[in-house]
Amino acid sequence: MFLMEADRITEIPLRIVKNTSADAVKRLLDDLAGLSKLDFTGGDDSTGFDGRPSFRDLAAFTFQPQNIVANPDVLFFKTNTYEHREKLRKIFPYVLGAVTPALMAKQFELGRTRQELRRKERELKDAQQVSARWLADLMVKFSEAQELGLTPKPEQQPTRGQMIELLEEVVARTDLTLSVSTSTISDALRELSSLDIEEREVSRELTTLRHRLEEMNRMRSGVDQYEAAIGLQRGRLQLSNWLVAHTDGATDCPMCSSHTDSARRKLEVLSARLQEVEAEAGVDKEMPAAFDRELQRVTAEVEQATERLRSVQIRKRALSGRSKEASERQFAAKKAERFVGTLESALDLHRRLGSDSDLVDEVSRLRETVQRLEAELREQDVDSRKRRALLAVNTHAGRLLPSLDVENADDPISLEINDLTIKVRGAERDDYLSEIGSGSNWLSYHLAMLLALHQFYLAQPSSPVPGFMVLDQPSQVYFPKRVVTRPDEDIEEPLFRDEDIDAVRKAFEVMGQVVLKAEGKLQLIVLDHASRDVWGDIPGVVGLREWRDGVKLVPMKWLNEP
């Protein structure tokens, strides 16, 4: 798109070149209109007509094309489609000032807080539904802790808080093995406990020795492989000695008996390489004696550690078989370890279910926030503000109707934002716009209501609706399309009835009066076939060049130039 900004555009460019994008223009217009960045969903994902208001939505109040300006079924631009109708219904309280950006922010916060409250309440309800089972489980765990000797038996039944406190002490302790092996155990149990400790120590020592022995065996295997590779290479190079032995003084090459320096040099190189390989093999032929001694020592220690571990295990099995008490106590110790492992997670749930828990406090805080926001929104009374705004709009429209070509101009009218139409309140019955006949009535009601809306917007401290409106051929109700002839046309000028001309002049006079009263804050752009003779001397109406004979809204040189 092409965008030019200035307080006053004094010169139309000779040609236009894109300098921005459509999305950037939309964002700019949204900012200039001061539209809220929030949507109408109260915090949920905005979709469709529940999304945030945009400048494009305000076109319903700024455009009246020729198929709308006198339409009995459609009052606002594009509301003949479902999506635009629903979006306009949604934003109408906002453009009327009944819902302000501050109220939208509170509604957004209220929706988000309600959603969080529902989630927290579900969590609390799920936890409280098992309260009876939870209390029984707590008592069972406390009794089990007493049986395992992890906590002393109190003189009287402890409260829920006391039980939780005692069980938390159990979880925090690090001497569980000692607490289950005190004065009541036998000598066999003490010996079994020491054997457990010795078994762990011997196992760690044996693991270390086995790892060292494996490393030394891998090293010896690597040396053997290296010696085999050297021997293979030495055998391949023995050919050089054979060639040297079969070479006499007359010839240098034992294969072809030729005398060349090249053959002699190559033979010398092979012989030298053989000597290097033999020297290398001689150096690494055997492992150092210290390595073999260390290998024997480690092997012996592995065997000794294995025998010690086997001895400890034999003693443990024999001791456990002789001492029933030791076996039971050992099982109790393992059971205590498993019990403490599960106790910590259970205590976390118990703490959350208390009346003073964080979850209960958070639910209470969220409820207070919801109540406060609901009270603040009730004080704003959006419905009352909307009724007062509509009353002001209807009053403005009622003042304009007597100056237009409409039957029963004194009958009050009302804007029905739910139906997006006009209702005429007659003495005997109420009629919607679609139930009233005559194109002059439709045009008059359209003009009166749209102008009344703009008068209301201008009276607000800040309204997002821009101060302009475009009307396309409002006189079509009275005049045919051909009201001006071209110079080369020989067509008889149609005759217009005086009452039709008067009706069109009334429409222009009302529009001129509204614009003059706005004192430069409202602009009406009327595209019409009516000649200057109809509206030329009406105050507030300014005529521009007629778009005929090659004169168009878009200059042709913008299209013709490369």
Side-chain angles (χ1 to χ4, degrees), residues 93-112:
Y94 177 75
V95 297
L96 290 176
V99 175
T100 62
L103 283 177
M104 290 182 66
K106 287 186 178 180
Q107 289 175 342
F108 188 91
E109 183 181 359
L110 177 61
R112 181 187 59 79

Side-chain angles (χ1 to χ4, degrees), residues 159-219:
T159 62
R160 184 192 65 85
Q162 292 173 341
M163 285 189 291
I164 291 179
E165 183 178 355
L166 291 171
L167 291 176
E168 287 177 341
E169 293 178 358
V170 172
V171 173
R173 289 165 58 184
T174 59
D175 59 340
L176 294 178
T177 303
L178 296 177
S179 66
V180 299
S181 305
T182 54
S183 58
T184 58
I185 67 175
S186 64
D187 293 338
L189 183 57
R190 282 193 293 269
E191 185 178 356
L192 183 60
S193 179
S194 64
L195 288 176
D196 285 335
I197 298 174
E198 184 179 357
E199 182 182 21
R200 288 193 293 269
E201 293 176 353
V202 175
S203 296
R204 287 195 295 268
E205 181 182 353
L206 181 59
T207 300
T208 303
L209 290 172
R210 283 176 175 172
H211 179 72
R212 180 170 175 79
L213 183 60
E214 290 174 0
E215 292 292 332
M216 296 181 74
N217 287 329
R218 279 198 294 269
M219 182 179 296

Side-chain angles (χ1 to χ4, degrees), residues 227-238:
E227 290 180 351
I230 290 294
L232 179 62
Q233 189 174 5
R234 184 174 53 190
R236 291 174 177 174
L237 292 174
Q238 286 291 342

Side-chain angles (χ1 to χ4, degrees), residues 515-529:
V515 170
L516 292 175
K517 189 176 180 180
E519 299 179 348
K521 296 180 181 180
L522 177 64
Q523 181 185 32
L524 300 183
I525 302 174
V526 182
L527 312 176
D528 207 293
H529 290 285

Side-chain angles (χ1 to χ4, degrees), residues 59-81 84-85 88 420-422 433-434 438-450 469-477:
F61 309 106
T62 56
F63 286 97
Q64 284 277 293
Q66 57 180 319
N67 65 318
I68 299 295
V69 71
N71 193 317
D73 300 313
V74 182
L75 179 60
F76 296 103
F77 179 50
K78 285 190 176 181
T79 53
N80 54 333
T81 63
H84 287 88
R85 286 178 64 86
L88 187 57
L420 297 180
T421 188
I422 296 173
L433 183 62
S434 59
S438 175
S440 60
N441 286 329
W442 301 333
L443 172 64
S444 298
Y445 285 126
H446 270 254
L447 285 177
M449 188 55 67
L450 268 296
M469 184 168 62
V470 179
L471 299 105
D472 186 15
Q473 299 186 38
S475 68
Q476 63 181 311
V477 173

Side-chain angles (χ1 to χ4, degrees), residues 228-449:
I230 290 294
L232 179 62
Q233 189 174 5
R234 184 174 53 190
R236 291 174 177 174
L237 292 174
Q238 286 291 342
L239 178 63
S240 63
N241 284 345
W242 181 84
L243 292 174
V244 172
H246 288 76
T247 302
D248 55 20
T251 61
D252 288 329
C253 181
M255 303 298 296
C256 61
S257 300
S258 64
H259 179 75
T260 61
D261 293 337
S262 175
R264 187 178 62 254
R265 286 196 301 271
K266 291 184 180 295
L267 189 58
E268 291 174 353
V269 170
L270 288 174
S271 180
R273 179 59 180 159
L274 176 61
Q275 293 174 3
E276 293 176 1
V277 171
E278 289 177 343
E280 183 72 17
V283 172
D284 294 334
K285 187 175 181 180
E286 295 181 357
M287 291 288 293
F291 179 83
D292 291 333
R293 289 195 300 270
E294 181 65 16
L295 180 61
Q296 293 174 2
R297 186 187 66 81
V298 172
T299 303
E301 290 183 355
V302 168
E303 293 176 354
Q304 292 174 3
T306 303
E307 289 298 327
R308 288 172 55 197
L309 181 60
R310 186 179 298 112
S311 175
V312 170
Q313 292 173 345
I314 292 173
R315 291 166 60 193
K316 281 182 61 178
R317 286 195 296 270
L319 188 60
S320 299
R322 293 197 309 266
S323 177
K324 181 179 179 181
E325 179 187 1
S327 178
E328 293 176 351
R329 202 59 178 175
Q330 187 180 23
F331 176 77
K334 299 299 182 183
K335 183 178 179 181
E337 293 176 359
R338 293 192 298 270
F339 170 75
V340 173
T342 59
L343 179 61
E344 187 172 4
S345 60
L347 285 176
D348 180 64
L349 176 61
H350 299 334
R351 285 190 295 267
R352 291 172 56 213
L353 290 177
S355 59
D356 57 344
S357 67
D358 294 339
L359 183 58
V360 174
D361 292 341
E362 191 170 1
V363 169
S364 178
R365 179 182 58 81
L366 290 173
R367 285 174 179 169
E368 292 177 358
T369 303
V370 169
Q371 293 173 359
R372 175 179 58 81
L373 291 173
E374 288 176 344
E376 292 177 357
L377 291 175
R378 282 196 300 269
E379 291 177 359
Q380 298 295 332
D381 198 357
V382 174
D383 290 337
S384 296
R385 293 160 62 97
K386 185 168 60 176
R387 286 194 298 269
R388 289 194 297 269
L390 289 175
L391 179 60
V393 172
N394 296 335
T395 301
H396 287 308
R399 293 172 181 168
L400 298 176
L401 280 175
S403 301
L404 295 169
D405 183 24
V406 62
E407 299 177 8
N408 304 319
D410 295 331
D411 289 346
I413 66 173
S414 64
L415 175 61
E416 304 295 320
I417 62 176
N418 290 331
D419 300 315
L420 297 180
T421 188
I422 296 173
K423 180 186 290 186
V424 181
R425 305 185 182 278
E428 298 181 356
R429 50 172 287 178
D430 297 340
D431 294 309
Y432 288 100
L433 183 62
S434 59
E435 299 173 331
I436 298 174
S438 175
S440 60
N441 286 329
W442 301 333
L443 172 64
S444 298
Y445 285 126
H446 270 254
L447 285 177
M449 188 55 67

